[in-house]
């Protein structure tokens, strides 16, 4: 979620990860926030954004499936 009404653009990212291991699969909740600032585009940064003040708010296991 990005707020385009402010600059730098504040964002929140809500994601789930699935970590597949030899003995189990872990489902994890990940929530982050930060700001996107416009910068010059380049071959290494084709979108032209720089992430600033990035913080992880949550990074926890929500489910573990044993194999």
């Amino acid at each position: 979620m990005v707020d385009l009404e402010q600059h730098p653009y504040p964002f929140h990212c809500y994601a789930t990860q699935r970590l597949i291991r030899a003995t189990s699969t872990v489902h994890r909740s990940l929530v982050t926030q930060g700001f996107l600032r416009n910068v010059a585009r380049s071959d290494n940064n084709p979108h032209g954004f720089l992430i600033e003040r990035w913080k992880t708010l949550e990074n926890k296991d929500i489910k573990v499936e044993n194999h």
Side-chain angles (χ1 to χ4, degrees):
M1 182 182 290
V2 178
D3 182 359
L4 298 176
E5 298 298 318
Q6 300 179 44
H7 191 265
Y9 309 116
F11 73 87
H12 281 83
C13 176
Y14 303 91
T16 55
Q17 293 177 306
R18 186 174 56 175
L19 306 171
I20 301 170
R21 299 181 176 139
T23 59
S24 66
T25 299
V26 178
H27 299 261
R28 183 173 286 166
S29 171
L30 181 63
V31 180
T32 63
Q33 72 178 20
F35 294 86
L36 297 174
R37 183 167 53 93
N38 289 323
V39 295
R41 292 177 185 225
S42 69
D43 288 340
N44 293 326
N45 186 0
H47 299 291
F49 288 111
L50 176 67
I51 298 174
E52 299 180 313
R53 294 182 278 171
W54 180 52
K55 288 199 288 188
T56 300
L57 304 176
E58 178 177 279
N59 186 6
K60 67 178 183 179
D61 294 350
I62 53 177
K63 181 179 176 183
V64 177
E65 299 171 354
N66 292 315
H67 300 216

